[in-house]
Amino acid sequence: MKQKKTFIVLVLFFIFSGVLWNYKHFLKKHLPFKNAAVSNPQIGEDLILKTNNLFFDLETNPGLENTETIINHPQAHSGKKCSQLINDAEYSVLFKKKIKYILNGKLNRLVMGVWIYPLEEKVNALLVASINDKEGKNIFWECRNTDNVNLEIKNWSKLNGEITLPGEKFSPEDELSIYLWDKGKTDMVVDDLEIILGDIPERKGERT
């Protein structure tokens, strides 16, 4: 009787061990464990293609580069973080993505905007849209400057720009970059980068 009980226990042990091994194997294969996560995730293709209106408040940094300029700042335009350009730092956070991942169609139009908080006078800054081909050669570059923006020291002002692009000349592999260039190297912070890609979809009732 005692041997029978021992045999049953051993059988149950081996069955349980096999089930447990299969379960762990399934988890490894199908679940995104922490060690497979990306620390600074890029905006995925599916997410981009569902919207042509992008907003970056710099509290999190999906789809952005040059994030070492992001700091906690008491005067952030929204939230607690912004991109700081001081000590001859010229370039803000940078949005960079291949056209095939950001737009399902031709890139004929682009609207962009960013908030600027000058720490010095005589600001000379450019909001830049640039496109490089797959070899890294620049094939498009256009900007909007701060000449006609009333910038006051330690006050937020918005720089906007709308650009028409030769969309038929671009390949899906070409890469779009959008950033602020502090050409005059005056100290400032910037926040809340906004981008609209392509035409804004017409809403019902707005047609004339």
Side-chain angles (χ1 to χ4, degrees), residues 25-53:
H25 182 71
F26 173 84
L27 291 179
K28 281 185 177 181
K29 185 176 181 180
H30 296 282
L31 294 185
F33 282 92
K34 185 176 181 180
N35 60 8
V38 180
S39 60
N40 184 26
Q42 300 293 302
I43 291 181
E45 179 178 0
D46 291 341
L47 178 59
I48 288 290
L49 294 181
K50 290 178 182 178
T51 177
N52 65 343
N53 193 343

Side-chain angles (χ1 to χ4, degrees), residues 51-53 109 196-204 206:
T51 177
N52 65 343
N53 193 343
R109 177 178 176 269
I196 299 176
L197 301 159
D199 295 323
I200 301 174
E202 182 181 342
R203 297 179 182 178
K204 293 181 179 180
E206 290 186 345

